Amino acid sequence: MNQPQIPQATSPLAMWLDYLASIHTSAIDLGLDRVQAVAKSANLSKPAPTVITVAGTNGKGSTCAIMEAILLDAGYSVGVYSSPHLIRYNERVRVNGHDLDDEKHAQAFAFIEQQRGDISLSFFEFGTLAALRLFQTENVDVVLLEVGLGGRLDATNVVDHDVSVITSLAIDHVDWLGDDINVIGFEKAGIYRSGKPAICGQPKAPSTVAAHADDIGAELYQVGIQYSYEKTSDLKWKWVHGSYALEDLPVPGLPLQNAATALMALATSHLDITDINIVNGLNGAHLPGRMQVINDKPTILLDVAHNPHSAGYLVEKVAQQYASKSIHTVVAMLHDKDIQQTLCELSRIASSWYPASLQGPRAASADELCQYLPGSNDKYDSPVKAFEAAMTHAKAEDVILVVGSFHTVGEVLEHWQSKGV
């Protein structure tokens, strides 16, 4: 078998991404030995003065987006690493609210390629190390690191971070993390650090989270115990930590639970943030693919919800905002998700279904989805074809909901943008 040609620092980003996908035997390879060795030799273990690492089943992206908006308003230079992307790989690394250009990614990949020697790295591990290098070269003040999968064995956990966050805990990624919520809690709590703040935004979290924090001497801040929040009106909420309270906060466009978690993480970070920064950040925080509206008449709503927990939240929001409207539901999912329960949640609002197949080794087919859908539905071999069918059937006052996966939303969003609407 021919070895893939090693790209150069000046090679196109697409060539690098093909190369990264070809050099390791498996797409997901949990374990820290290889990535830790490269991080140490490349001096990437502390890519910024302050690093906040965020794990969780759902809400990682929203929590990072809220912290990012607040920190940018406070004048900090902020790097965010997230995955997966919707359309372009560049979305995975943001600096001061903007994606970096292809050339900077290629230079970072070339640096990691040189540093790794004969150590094999998975696509995610290579990308994580390159992101750390980018934050280092861009000289950011704060890095917000989103964990890829689990926590304890995720590539992001090689970083010496200052604050650790778990946003939520539910059963997801069964193939990798199993279906025992206590085990999942332990895996996610693996990002906690001795003597450092450890935030848990999951109400009544499994006991393994607090037990692990206690075992290693982390400073645990558990929602409902060390901090709390409540909505006080349709537009306002309050956040309380000990004797300190922030009242009359604006309700953000992202989940309130994640906003409360973000505030607790920032409160323990010793960064200089004012109440005004918090208000401005809450008002300005947004995230593509989360309750994202790209058209009206008909309303086109995109959401990457892909498990029962996130689908349940989405259903509540859609029911509030689009009561009594017909919801044309375009859905495609990965087969390692809880398809049955996710579709069960969505069925509470769906008026009609447009099930589609995704491509790739983890993809579920439209036939698999139809096992759990009521009635007989037309099937589509791509989210775009399903979306186009929904567009032909939807009236101006209806809602087209595109849901089920980052892949589903990304394909439809790219298609919509290519039309130049």
Side-chain angles (χ1 to χ4, degrees), residues 206-412:
S207 59
T208 45
V209 173
H212 182 66
D214 192 47
D215 285 347
I216 65 169
E219 300 170 14
L220 184 64
Y221 297 84
Q222 168 74 55
V223 69
I225 302 175
Q226 283 82 11
Y227 75 100
S228 62
Y229 67 98
E230 68 172 298
K231 205 168 176 186
T232 51
S233 72
D234 285 347
L235 300 174
K236 298 290 181 184
W237 66 293
K238 76 171 181 178
W239 181 89
V240 179
H241 167 49
S243 60
Y244 183 71
L246 286 169
E247 308 217 20
D248 292 330
L249 293 170
V251 172
L254 296 168
L256 207 52
Q257 176 183 336
N258 301 331
T261 304
L263 293 192
M264 191 68 250
L266 292 177
T268 63
S269 68
H270 306 301
L271 295 166
D272 190 11
I273 295 163
T274 67
D275 293 1
I276 296 297
N277 300 144
I278 291 170
V279 169
N280 291 343
L282 289 170
N283 276 324
H286 64 92
L287 199 59
R290 276 70 164 192
M291 286 291 289
Q292 182 182 2
V293 177
I294 58 171
N295 189 61
D296 54 5
K297 297 183 181 174
T299 298
I300 300 174
L301 181 64
L302 311 178
D303 199 286
V304 296
H306 53 268
N307 52 42
H309 184 269
S310 55
Y313 174 82
L314 170 65
V315 164
E316 285 179 25
K317 285 293 182 188
V318 171
Q320 283 170 12
Q321 292 183 27
Y322 303 104
S324 75
K325 293 197 176 242
S326 285
I327 313 290
H328 300 258
T329 307
V330 174
V331 62
M333 295 186 67
L334 298 175
H335 76 74
D336 56 5
K337 302 299 175 187
D338 187 344
I339 294 172
Q340 182 174 7
Q341 285 305 312
T342 304
L343 295 178
C344 182
E345 289 286 349
L346 293 171
S347 68
R348 289 158 48 199
I349 53 167
S351 311
S352 52
W353 294 95
Y354 301 80
S357 300
L358 290 172
Q359 302 303 313
R362 294 171 63 205
S365 67
D367 284 326
E368 285 178 71
L369 303 187
C370 284
Q371 293 173 40
Y372 307 112
L373 295 178
S376 59
N377 298 281
D378 290 335
K379 300 169 195 155
Y380 303 90
D381 57 17
S382 75
V384 168
K385 288 184 178 171
F387 171 72
E388 286 294 342
M391 285 292 286
T392 64
H393 291 119
K395 299 187 178 79
E397 65 272 18
D398 292 350
V399 176
I400 297 174
L401 172 62
V402 180
V403 68
S405 167
F406 278 83
H407 302 281
T408 311
V409 168
E411 286 180 35
V412 170

Side-chain angles (χ1 to χ4, degrees), residues 115-176:
Q115 292 290 324
R116 76 181 178 92
D118 59 0
I119 296 174
S120 181
L121 295 171
S122 72
F123 184 96
F124 182 77
E125 290 167 341
F126 208 118
T128 300
L129 290 166
L132 300 178
R133 171 65 175 176
L134 286 166
F135 296 140
Q136 196 178 61
T137 56
E138 294 293 310
N139 207 25
V140 299
D141 302 317
V142 185
V143 165
L144 307 175
L145 277 183
E146 189 183 303
V147 168
L149 179 64
R152 184 174 63 91
L153 299 177
D154 188 78
T156 55
N157 206 26
V158 301
V159 174
D160 175 18
H161 49 260
D162 303 279
V163 181
S164 313
V165 180
I166 296 174
T167 57
S168 67
L169 287 161
I171 292 168
D172 194 15
H173 297 294
V174 173
D175 291 3
W176 298 98

